[in-house]
Amino acid sequence: MEYFFILGRNPQLSYAELQCYFESRGIKFDVMAFERNYLLLSFEKEIKVDIQEFGGVVKVGKILYRGNDNNFGKFLENYIMEIDKFSFCVTGSSDSEELEEALMEKFKHERIKAQVRHGRNKMLLQKGEYVLMPNADVEFFFYKIQAELFFGRVEQDYSYTEVKERDMHKPFRRESLAISPRLSKILVNITQVKPGQLLLDPFCGVAGIIQEALLKGVNCYGIDKDKDAIESAKKNLKWLSQNYKLEANYTLLNADSKNAPNIRVDGVATEPALGEIVRRKLRDNEAKEFIERFERMIVPVLKRIVQIKKPGARIAITLPYIREHSVNIAKVCQMTGLKKIEIPGVESPIKEVREGQFIAREIVVLS
Ligand SMILES: C[S@@+](CC[C@H](N)C(=O)[O-])C[C@H]1O[C@@H](n2cnc3c(N)ncnc32)[C@H](O)[C@@H]1O
């Protein structure tokens, strides 16, 4: 059974997220294609996916036809639409326009009121390429691997409004420091923690990552050395438990994470403090000093985490980088006894750059 995933703005990161998610649930798959922001996976059997579980997937659907050109015509003839007035488009391969025309013919013949619509929405991918983000009522997916055709239809769209509501309505937001719900979900999935297990965020701030983990049924432990941040985190999580049905519990602690208590954690997802907020381009020597200061701060915390995490528990962490100045991961690993985890087919660390930011992020998985 094949499924296609239309990935978000950082396809490498989304691909890592999906792999970690399925692997942690024992769901085996083969990668049929991974191109631009399209991912085509083949599973042994039908899977149940809820797109809202992921931070990095924009659309998902099942492949309805897989086969050669000759039988595809017959398949299309028999393909029945359950609605009779809609806009549609085809995404995926360079031949999609031809297929749009063929579908148009078919719908006309069946007296169905259908019209092609792509819209103008575009998404800028991490590597600088723009991709169209159509907003038609029905979106088909078409992909060719040599002589084999794959045809499917989008079944689920990521609901930005739901996530945005959650983010905008919580009592405390710290835009300058907090990461998005999207990246929070991705980090949690990369740790491979499961519902009922315990996740630690040693730099929890106002609890952005914890919020997304709790909604997944993962128990959480948040630590922050800033008293005000912990007070705000408490209010945010109280709000969350009043507005969502939570099946997981949490503890928040105002402390320095290098002195974290003796808890046994199944995973760590975190965005550490970078130091002062940078509002201008740093010179090379300043950037180098910035990264070295970060390394001096993070090593004692990671050393403590090594003592309290269960064997094999993963740490999904964001690290700062400024142009060619990045954290020396090999040195950090050597000092802490941690190892970098490689995710097949994914660059490591994974770069996450936002336009206009002076400090970019690298995401790395350690264990
Ligand atoms: C980038 S913010 C985390 C943002 C967080 N994801 C959120 O949703 O608010 C980093 C946090 O780490 C805290 N911090 C810095 N050094 C720390 C340490 N050694 N132990 C615990 N917390 C620390 C800071 O007070 C800050 O709130």
Side-chain angles (χ1 to χ4, degrees), residues 170 172-174 176-180 184 201-210 223-227 229-230 236 253-259 269-275 297 301 318 361:
K170 66 187 183 197
F172 286 91
R173 299 186 75 235
R174 288 194 312 182
S176 56
L177 290 176
I179 54 173
S180 62
S184 300
D201 182 352
F203 301 93
C204 73
V206 300
I209 294 176
I210 291 183
I223 307 179
D224 201 293
K225 70 174 185 183
D226 177 357
K227 202 163 179 277
I230 286 292
N236 277 346
L253 181 70
N254 177 213
D256 190 316
S257 282
K258 64 176 187 267
N259 307 317
T270 195
E271 195 205 20
L274 299 181
M297 184 282 295
V301 175
T318 65
R361 296 184 176 98

mmCIF file of all heavy atoms in Angstrom, residues 170 172-174 176-180 184 201-210 223-227 229-230 236 253-259 269-275 297 301 318 361, ligand 1:
data_model
loop_
_atom_site.group_PDB
_atom_site.id
_atom_site.type_symbol
_atom_site.label_atom_id
_atom_site.label_comp_id
_atom_site.label_asym_id
_atom_site.label_seq_id
_atom_site.Cartn_x
_atom_site.Cartn_y
_atom_site.Cartn_z
ATOM 1 N N LYS A 170 -2.906 30.989 23.805
ATOM 2 C CA LYS A 170 -2.376 30.640 25.128
ATOM 3 C C LYS A 170 -2.000 31.936 25.853
ATOM 4 O O LYS A 170 -1.660 32.941 25.210
ATOM 5 C CB LYS A 170 -1.201 29.667 24.990
ATOM 6 C CG LYS A 170 0.017 30.216 24.323
ATOM 7 C CD LYS A 170 1.021 29.098 24.115
ATOM 8 C CE LYS A 170 2.285 29.634 23.503
ATOM 9 N NZ LYS A 170 3.129 28.620 22.915
ATOM 10 N N PHE A 172 0.577 33.073 27.586
ATOM 11 C CA PHE A 172 1.893 33.704 27.456
ATOM 12 C C PHE A 172 2.623 33.264 26.207
ATOM 13 O O PHE A 172 2.823 32.073 25.974
ATOM 14 C CB PHE A 172 2.761 33.405 28.688
ATOM 15 C CG PHE A 172 2.323 34.197 29.859
ATOM 16 C CD1 PHE A 172 1.383 33.676 30.730
ATOM 17 C CD2 PHE A 172 2.796 35.481 30.062
ATOM 18 C CE1 PHE A 172 0.930 34.425 31.800
ATOM 19 C CE2 PHE A 172 2.340 36.235 31.132
ATOM 20 C CZ PHE A 172 1.411 35.705 32.003
ATOM 21 N N ARG A 173 3.020 34.239 25.434
ATOM 22 C CA ARG A 173 3.817 33.953 24.238
ATOM 23 C C ARG A 173 5.115 34.737 24.371
ATOM 24 O O ARG A 173 5.109 35.854 24.880
ATOM 25 C CB ARG A 173 3.077 34.419 22.984
ATOM 26 C CG ARG A 173 1.755 33.737 22.785
ATOM 27 C CD ARG A 173 1.142 34.140 21.468
ATOM 28 N NE ARG A 173 1.813 33.486 20.366
ATOM 29 C CZ ARG A 173 2.356 34.113 19.337
ATOM 30 N NH1 ARG A 173 2.323 35.411 19.271
ATOM 31 N NH2 ARG A 173 2.940 33.439 18.386
ATOM 32 N N ARG A 174 6.214 34.131 23.917
ATOM 33 C CA ARG A 174 7.483 34.890 23.900
ATOM 34 C C ARG A 174 8.054 34.700 22.513
ATOM 35 O O ARG A 174 8.891 33.834 22.290
ATOM 36 C CB ARG A 174 8.469 34.325 24.923
ATOM 37 C CG ARG A 174 8.143 34.589 26.346
ATOM 38 C CD ARG A 174 9.338 34.301 27.219
ATOM 39 N NE ARG A 174 9.961 33.015 26.925
ATOM 40 C CZ ARG A 174 11.000 32.521 27.578
ATOM 41 N NH1 ARG A 174 11.544 33.209 28.555
ATOM 42 N NH2 ARG A 174 11.511 31.351 27.254
ATOM 43 N N SER A 176 10.117 36.112 20.637
ATOM 44 C CA SER A 176 11.562 36.224 20.364
ATOM 45 C C SER A 176 12.313 34.956 20.758
ATOM 46 O O SER A 176 13.390 34.687 20.269
ATOM 47 C CB SER A 176 12.128 37.422 21.096
ATOM 48 O OG SER A 176 11.832 37.290 22.472
ATOM 49 N N LEU A 177 11.745 34.173 21.676
ATOM 50 C CA LEU A 177 12.470 33.002 22.173
ATOM 51 C C LEU A 177 11.856 31.674 21.753
ATOM 52 O O LEU A 177 12.569 30.674 21.609
ATOM 53 C CB LEU A 177 12.522 33.034 23.712
ATOM 54 C CG LEU A 177 13.407 34.091 24.352
ATOM 55 C CD1 LEU A 177 13.282 34.049 25.863
ATOM 56 C CD2 LEU A 177 14.864 33.873 23.964
ATOM 57 N N ALA A 178 10.533 31.661 21.571
ATOM 58 C CA ALA A 178 9.861 30.365 21.394
ATOM 59 C C ALA A 178 9.970 29.828 19.966
ATOM 60 O O ALA A 178 10.015 30.596 19.007
ATOM 61 C CB ALA A 178 8.401 30.510 21.762
ATOM 62 N N ILE A 179 10.008 28.510 19.837
ATOM 63 C CA ILE A 179 9.950 27.927 18.499
ATOM 64 C C ILE A 179 8.494 27.629 18.167
ATOM 65 O O ILE A 179 7.637 27.570 19.046
ATOM 66 C CB ILE A 179 10.818 26.649 18.351
ATOM 67 C CG1 ILE A 179 10.480 25.603 19.401
ATOM 68 C CG2 ILE A 179 12.272 27.003 18.374
ATOM 69 C CD1 ILE A 179 11.195 24.287 19.160
ATOM 70 N N SER A 180 8.240 27.440 16.878
ATOM 71 C CA SER A 180 6.864 27.272 16.424
ATOM 72 C C SER A 180 6.316 25.908 16.845
ATOM 73 O O SER A 180 7.076 24.967 17.083
ATOM 74 C CB SER A 180 6.841 27.359 14.905
ATOM 75 O OG SER A 180 7.625 26.286 14.388
ATOM 76 N N SER A 184 8.212 22.295 17.145
ATOM 77 C CA SER A 184 8.039 21.564 18.409
ATOM 78 C C SER A 184 7.574 20.137 18.138
ATOM 79 O O SER A 184 8.131 19.172 18.665
ATOM 80 C CB SER A 184 7.019 22.261 19.301
ATOM 81 O OG SER A 184 7.439 23.564 19.595
ATOM 82 N N ASP A 201 12.197 18.561 28.635
ATOM 83 C CA ASP A 201 12.705 19.756 27.955
ATOM 84 C C ASP A 201 13.496 20.541 28.997
ATOM 85 O O ASP A 201 12.911 21.192 29.875
ATOM 86 C CB ASP A 201 11.574 20.602 27.355
ATOM 87 C CG ASP A 201 12.138 21.823 26.615
ATOM 88 O OD1 ASP A 201 13.360 22.062 26.709
ATOM 89 O OD2 ASP A 201 11.360 22.532 25.944
ATOM 90 N N PRO A 202 14.821 20.482 28.943
ATOM 91 C CA PRO A 202 15.637 21.136 29.968
ATOM 92 C C PRO A 202 15.744 22.654 29.822
ATOM 93 O O PRO A 202 16.331 23.307 30.676
ATOM 94 C CB PRO A 202 17.010 20.489 29.770
ATOM 95 C CG PRO A 202 17.027 20.042 28.347
ATOM 96 C CD PRO A 202 15.628 19.751 27.947
ATOM 97 N N PHE A 203 15.207 23.201 28.718
ATOM 98 C CA PHE A 203 15.181 24.660 28.517
ATOM 99 C C PHE A 203 13.753 25.005 28.108
ATOM 100 O O PHE A 203 13.515 25.486 27.000
ATOM 101 C CB PHE A 203 16.138 25.081 27.397
ATOM 102 C CG PHE A 203 17.585 24.698 27.649
ATOM 103 C CD1 PHE A 203 18.108 23.503 27.172
ATOM 104 C CD2 PHE A 203 18.416 25.557 28.347
ATOM 105 C CE1 PHE A 203 19.440 23.165 27.390
ATOM 106 C CE2 PHE A 203 19.761 25.229 28.568
ATOM 107 C CZ PHE A 203 20.267 24.033 28.096
ATOM 108 N N CYS A 204 12.793 24.730 28.984
ATOM 109 C CA CYS A 204 11.389 24.664 28.514
ATOM 110 C C CYS A 204 10.754 26.017 28.234
ATOM 111 O O CYS A 204 9.731 26.079 27.569
ATOM 112 C CB CYS A 204 10.547 23.845 29.475
ATOM 113 S SG CYS A 204 10.212 24.713 31.006
ATOM 114 N N GLY A 205 11.319 27.112 28.757
ATOM 115 C CA GLY A 205 10.729 28.427 28.503
ATOM 116 C C GLY A 205 9.259 28.426 28.909
ATOM 117 O O GLY A 205 8.898 27.928 29.981
ATOM 118 N N VAL A 206 8.389 28.931 28.023
ATOM 119 C CA VAL A 206 6.963 29.008 28.359
ATOM 120 C C VAL A 206 6.218 27.747 27.915
ATOM 121 O O VAL A 206 5.014 27.734 27.780
ATOM 122 C CB VAL A 206 6.314 30.288 27.794
ATOM 123 C CG1 VAL A 206 7.005 31.526 28.362
ATOM 124 C CG2 VAL A 206 6.353 30.328 26.270
ATOM 125 N N ALA A 207 6.954 26.681 27.666
ATOM 126 C CA ALA A 207 6.415 25.321 27.474
ATOM 127 C C ALA A 207 5.847 25.035 26.081
ATOM 128 O O ALA A 207 4.918 24.225 25.949
ATOM 129 C CB ALA A 207 5.388 24.985 28.550
ATOM 130 N N GLY A 208 6.414 25.642 25.067
ATOM 131 C CA GLY A 208 5.943 25.403 23.692
ATOM 132 C C GLY A 208 6.088 23.944 23.264
ATOM 133 O O GLY A 208 5.149 23.357 22.714
ATOM 134 N N ILE A 209 7.229 23.356 23.524
ATOM 135 C CA ILE A 209 7.461 21.968 23.114
ATOM 136 C C ILE A 209 6.608 21.031 23.979
ATOM 137 O O ILE A 209 5.962 20.099 23.477
ATOM 138 C CB ILE A 209 8.965 21.602 23.220
ATOM 139 C CG1 ILE A 209 9.771 22.425 22.213
ATOM 140 C CG2 ILE A 209 9.194 20.107 23.003
ATOM 141 C CD1 ILE A 209 11.284 22.244 22.278
ATOM 142 N N ILE A 210 6.575 21.342 25.270
ATOM 143 C CA ILE A 210 5.810 20.502 26.211
ATOM 144 C C ILE A 210 4.331 20.465 25.815
ATOM 145 O O ILE A 210 3.691 19.413 25.852
ATOM 146 C CB ILE A 210 5.995 21.031 27.653
ATOM 147 C CG1 ILE A 210 7.445 20.752 28.067
ATOM 148 C CG2 ILE A 210 4.999 20.405 28.614
ATOM 149 C CD1 ILE A 210 7.790 21.138 29.464
ATOM 150 N N ILE A 223 12.125 22.047 32.608
ATOM 151 C CA ILE A 223 12.996 22.786 33.546
ATOM 152 C C ILE A 223 13.408 24.107 32.886
ATOM 153 O O ILE A 223 13.737 24.134 31.696
ATOM 154 C CB ILE A 223 14.279 21.981 33.889
ATOM 155 C CG1 ILE A 223 13.909 20.573 34.378
ATOM 156 C CG2 ILE A 223 15.116 22.717 34.933
ATOM 157 C CD1 ILE A 223 15.115 19.699 34.725
ATOM 158 N N ASP A 224 13.357 25.164 33.685
ATOM 159 C CA ASP A 224 13.895 26.450 33.201
ATOM 160 C C ASP A 224 14.452 27.200 34.399
ATOM 161 O O ASP A 224 13.865 27.178 35.482
ATOM 162 C CB ASP A 224 12.820 27.279 32.492
ATOM 163 C CG ASP A 224 13.445 28.312 31.568
ATOM 164 O OD1 ASP A 224 14.094 29.259 32.083
ATOM 165 O OD2 ASP A 224 13.322 28.158 30.332
ATOM 166 N N LYS A 225 15.581 27.847 34.189
ATOM 167 C CA LYS A 225 16.191 28.539 35.333
ATOM 168 C C LYS A 225 15.584 29.925 35.556
ATOM 169 O O LYS A 225 15.865 30.563 36.560
ATOM 170 C CB LYS A 225 17.715 28.597 35.170
ATOM 171 C CG LYS A 225 18.222 29.505 34.083
ATOM 172 C CD LYS A 225 19.741 29.551 34.155
ATOM 173 C CE LYS A 225 20.265 30.555 33.157
ATOM 174 N NZ LYS A 225 21.707 30.598 33.115
ATOM 175 N N ASP A 226 14.754 30.339 34.609
ATOM 176 C CA ASP A 226 14.087 31.642 34.742
ATOM 177 C C ASP A 226 12.723 31.435 35.426
ATOM 178 O O ASP A 226 11.841 30.751 34.897
ATOM 179 C CB ASP A 226 13.928 32.237 33.332
ATOM 180 C CG ASP A 226 13.189 33.547 33.330
ATOM 181 O OD1 ASP A 226 12.737 33.988 34.407
ATOM 182 O OD2 ASP A 226 13.052 34.138 32.233
ATOM 183 N N LYS A 227 12.587 32.060 36.621
ATOM 184 C CA LYS A 227 11.375 31.874 37.428
ATOM 185 C C LYS A 227 10.126 32.350 36.662
ATOM 186 O O LYS A 227 9.079 31.691 36.686
ATOM 187 C CB LYS A 227 11.521 32.680 38.721
ATOM 188 C CG LYS A 227 10.655 32.217 39.843
ATOM 189 C CD LYS A 227 11.179 32.784 41.167
ATOM 190 C CE LYS A 227 10.303 32.344 42.322
ATOM 191 N NZ LYS A 227 9.132 33.162 42.508
ATOM 192 N N ALA A 229 9.684 32.491 33.468
ATOM 193 C CA ALA A 229 9.346 31.561 32.374
ATOM 194 C C ALA A 229 8.542 30.389 32.936
ATOM 195 O O ALA A 229 7.519 29.984 32.345
ATOM 196 C CB ALA A 229 10.621 31.052 31.702
ATOM 197 N N ILE A 230 8.947 29.863 34.083
ATOM 198 C CA ILE A 230 8.232 28.729 34.683
ATOM 199 C C ILE A 230 6.811 29.149 35.100
ATOM 200 O O ILE A 230 5.843 28.406 34.881
ATOM 201 C CB ILE A 230 9.030 28.142 35.878
ATOM 202 C CG1 ILE A 230 10.236 27.361 35.352
ATOM 203 C CG2 ILE A 230 8.171 27.248 36.771
ATOM 204 C CD1 ILE A 230 9.928 26.069 34.596
ATOM 205 N N ASN A 236 0.321 28.643 30.944
ATOM 206 C CA ASN A 236 0.032 28.112 29.599
ATOM 207 C C ASN A 236 -0.497 26.680 29.678
ATOM 208 O O ASN A 236 -1.451 26.317 28.981
ATOM 209 C CB ASN A 236 1.305 28.110 28.749
ATOM 210 C CG ASN A 236 1.562 29.470 28.120
ATOM 211 O OD1 ASN A 236 0.672 30.328 28.111
ATOM 212 N ND2 ASN A 236 2.751 29.683 27.608
ATOM 213 N N LEU A 253 9.797 22.687 36.712
ATOM 214 C CA LEU A 253 10.752 22.951 37.774
ATOM 215 C C LEU A 253 11.593 24.179 37.442
ATOM 216 O O LEU A 253 12.126 24.286 36.335
ATOM 217 C CB LEU A 253 11.670 21.717 37.933
ATOM 218 C CG LEU A 253 12.726 21.794 39.026
ATOM 219 C CD1 LEU A 253 12.069 21.736 40.419
ATOM 220 C CD2 LEU A 253 13.720 20.640 38.889
ATOM 221 N N ASN A 254 11.702 25.065 38.430
ATOM 222 C CA ASN A 254 12.554 26.239 38.265
ATOM 223 C C ASN A 254 13.950 25.894 38.792
ATOM 224 O O ASN A 254 14.185 25.879 39.992
ATOM 225 C CB ASN A 254 11.925 27.409 39.052
ATOM 226 C CG ASN A 254 12.771 28.666 38.994
ATOM 227 O OD1 ASN A 254 12.805 29.446 39.948
ATOM 228 N ND2 ASN A 254 13.457 28.885 37.893
ATOM 229 N N ALA A 255 14.851 25.561 37.886
ATOM 230 C CA ALA A 255 16.201 25.153 38.291
ATOM 231 C C ALA A 255 17.147 25.274 37.107
ATOM 232 O O ALA A 255 16.711 25.459 35.958
ATOM 233 C CB ALA A 255 16.175 23.707 38.782
ATOM 234 N N ASP A 256 18.412 25.135 37.402
ATOM 235 C CA ASP A 256 19.397 25.060 36.321
ATOM 236 C C ASP A 256 19.469 23.597 35.880
ATOM 237 O O ASP A 256 19.621 22.704 36.719
ATOM 238 C CB ASP A 256 20.757 25.547 36.841
ATOM 239 C CG ASP A 256 21.749 25.720 35.702
ATOM 240 O OD1 ASP A 256 21.819 24.830 34.834
ATOM 241 O OD2 ASP A 256 22.449 26.747 35.683
ATOM 242 N N SER A 257 19.373 23.354 34.597
ATOM 243 C CA SER A 257 19.302 21.965 34.114
ATOM 244 C C SER A 257 20.588 21.190 34.327
ATOM 245 O O SER A 257 20.576 19.971 34.241
ATOM 246 C CB SER A 257 18.904 21.935 32.645
ATOM 247 O OG SER A 257 17.537 22.148 32.575
ATOM 248 N N LYS A 258 21.663 21.895 34.615
ATOM 249 C CA LYS A 258 22.878 21.101 34.888
ATOM 250 C C LYS A 258 22.772 20.409 36.246
ATOM 251 O O LYS A 258 23.547 19.518 36.556
ATOM 252 C CB LYS A 258 24.153 21.928 34.719
ATOM 253 C CG LYS A 258 24.353 23.082 35.649
ATOM 254 C CD LYS A 258 25.739 23.697 35.351
ATOM 255 C CE LYS A 258 26.101 24.762 36.354
ATOM 256 N NZ LYS A 258 25.730 26.091 35.949
ATOM 257 N N ASN A 259 21.740 20.832 37.030
ATOM 258 C CA ASN A 259 21.464 20.151 38.307
ATOM 259 C C ASN A 259 20.107 19.443 38.253
ATOM 260 O O ASN A 259 19.414 19.351 39.265
ATOM 261 C CB ASN A 259 21.438 21.162 39.454
ATOM 262 C CG ASN A 259 22.701 22.006 39.481
ATOM 263 O OD1 ASN A 259 23.795 21.463 39.312
ATOM 264 N ND2 ASN A 259 22.565 23.304 39.670
ATOM 265 N N ALA A 269 13.556 16.710 24.082
ATOM 266 C CA ALA A 269 13.370 17.606 22.926
ATOM 267 C C ALA A 269 13.549 19.010 23.442
ATOM 268 O O ALA A 269 12.898 19.397 24.421
ATOM 269 C CB ALA A 269 11.976 17.433 22.334
ATOM 270 N N THR A 270 14.416 19.767 22.811
ATOM 271 C CA THR A 270 14.676 21.085 23.397
ATOM 272 C C THR A 270 15.277 22.083 22.425
ATOM 273 O O THR A 270 15.933 21.702 21.452
ATOM 274 C CB THR A 270 15.597 20.940 24.629
ATOM 275 O OG1 THR A 270 15.550 22.145 25.382
ATOM 276 C CG2 THR A 270 17.041 20.616 24.263
ATOM 277 N N GLU A 271 15.000 23.331 22.742
ATOM 278 C CA GLU A 271 15.654 24.423 22.056
ATOM 279 C C GLU A 271 16.367 25.250 23.109
ATOM 280 O O GLU A 271 15.761 26.034 23.831
ATOM 281 C CB GLU A 271 14.633 25.282 21.318
ATOM 282 C CG GLU A 271 15.348 26.160 20.341
ATOM 283 C CD GLU A 271 14.617 27.405 19.982
ATOM 284 O OE1 GLU A 271 13.731 27.834 20.719
ATOM 285 O OE2 GLU A 271 14.968 27.960 18.937
ATOM 286 N N PRO A 272 17.683 25.046 23.242
ATOM 287 C CA PRO A 272 18.392 25.709 24.338
ATOM 288 C C PRO A 272 18.445 27.218 24.150
ATOM 289 O O PRO A 272 18.242 27.727 23.042
ATOM 290 C CB PRO A 272 19.808 25.130 24.242
ATOM 291 C CG PRO A 272 19.731 23.992 23.317
ATOM 292 C CD PRO A 272 18.566 24.213 22.430
ATOM 293 N N ALA A 273 18.779 27.886 25.260
ATOM 294 C CA ALA A 273 18.961 29.336 25.198
ATOM 295 C C ALA A 273 20.192 29.627 24.362
ATOM 296 O O ALA A 273 21.189 28.919 24.445
ATOM 297 C CB ALA A 273 19.169 29.853 26.612
ATOM 298 N N LEU A 274 20.111 30.654 23.543
ATOM 299 C CA LEU A 274 21.252 30.986 22.694
ATOM 300 C C LEU A 274 22.149 32.027 23.351
ATOM 301 O O LEU A 274 23.199 32.362 22.840
ATOM 302 C CB LEU A 274 20.754 31.547 21.364
ATOM 303 C CG LEU A 274 19.880 30.619 20.531
ATOM 304 C CD1 LEU A 274 19.484 31.293 19.235
ATOM 305 C CD2 LEU A 274 20.617 29.330 20.233
ATOM 306 N N GLY A 275 21.694 32.552 24.468
ATOM 307 C CA GLY A 275 22.426 33.682 25.056
ATOM 308 C C GLY A 275 21.611 34.926 24.769
ATOM 309 O O GLY A 275 20.381 34.852 24.692
ATOM 310 N N MET A 297 28.113 26.489 27.595
ATOM 311 C CA MET A 297 26.858 26.419 28.352
ATOM 312 C C MET A 297 26.209 25.031 28.215
ATOM 313 O O MET A 297 25.707 24.467 29.184
ATOM 314 C CB MET A 297 25.921 27.515 27.800
ATOM 315 C CG MET A 297 24.600 27.690 28.504
ATOM 316 S SD MET A 297 23.347 26.479 28.091
ATOM 317 C CE MET A 297 23.032 26.797 26.380
ATOM 318 N N VAL A 301 25.048 20.743 30.794
ATOM 319 C CA VAL A 301 23.638 20.298 30.797
ATOM 320 C C VAL A 301 23.537 18.924 30.135
ATOM 321 O O VAL A 301 22.884 18.005 30.657
ATOM 322 C CB VAL A 301 22.731 21.338 30.089
ATOM 323 C CG1 VAL A 301 21.306 20.819 29.978
ATOM 324 C CG2 VAL A 301 22.759 22.672 30.813
ATOM 325 N N THR A 318 18.135 21.709 19.035
ATOM 326 C CA THR A 318 18.515 22.709 18.032
ATOM 327 C C THR A 318 19.798 23.396 18.508
ATOM 328 O O THR A 318 19.951 23.676 19.695
ATOM 329 C CB THR A 318 17.425 23.787 17.836
ATOM 330 O OG1 THR A 318 17.308 24.531 19.041
ATOM 331 C CG2 THR A 318 16.081 23.188 17.490
ATOM 332 N N ARG A 361 19.488 27.718 12.728
ATOM 333 C CA ARG A 361 19.524 26.527 13.591
ATOM 334 C C ARG A 361 20.031 25.325 12.833
ATOM 335 O O ARG A 361 19.820 25.193 11.623
ATOM 336 C CB ARG A 361 18.109 26.174 14.056
ATOM 337 C CG ARG A 361 17.453 27.190 14.916
ATOM 338 C CD ARG A 361 16.109 26.622 15.352
ATOM 339 N NE ARG A 361 15.440 27.517 16.265
ATOM 340 C CZ ARG A 361 14.503 28.380 15.901
ATOM 341 N NH1 ARG A 361 14.125 28.454 14.645
ATOM 342 N NH2 ARG A 361 13.933 29.157 16.789
HETATM 343 C C1 LIG B 1 15.005 29.476 23.635
HETATM 344 S S1 LIG B 1 14.266 29.453 25.185
HETATM 345 C C2 LIG B 1 13.192 28.070 25.099
HETATM 346 C C3 LIG B 1 11.963 28.369 24.363
HETATM 347 C C4 LIG B 1 10.873 27.372 24.597
HETATM 348 N N1 LIG B 1 10.879 26.315 23.578
HETATM 349 C C5 LIG B 1 9.521 28.049 24.675
HETATM 350 O O1 LIG B 1 8.549 27.536 24.107
HETATM 351 O O2 LIG B 1 9.412 29.087 25.337
HETATM 352 C C6 LIG B 1 15.512 28.916 26.255
HETATM 353 C C7 LIG B 1 15.197 28.925 27.751
HETATM 354 O O3 LIG B 1 16.288 28.284 28.419
HETATM 355 C C8 LIG B 1 16.389 28.844 29.736
HETATM 356 N N2 LIG B 1 17.731 28.482 30.254
HETATM 357 C C9 LIG B 1 18.931 28.986 29.894
HETATM 358 N N3 LIG B 1 19.937 28.324 30.512
HETATM 359 C C10 LIG B 1 19.358 27.379 31.292
HETATM 360 C C11 LIG B 1 19.846 26.364 32.166
HETATM 361 N N4 LIG B 1 21.152 26.194 32.363
HETATM 362 N N5 LIG B 1 18.950 25.558 32.782
HETATM 363 C C12 LIG B 1 17.629 25.735 32.591
HETATM 364 N N6 LIG B 1 17.101 26.676 31.782
HETATM 365 C C13 LIG B 1 17.934 27.486 31.139
HETATM 366 C C14 LIG B 1 16.114 30.303 29.511
HETATM 367 O O4 LIG B 1 15.642 30.896 30.704
HETATM 368 C C15 LIG B 1 15.048 30.272 28.394
HETATM 369 O O5 LIG B 1 13.753 30.378 28.923
#
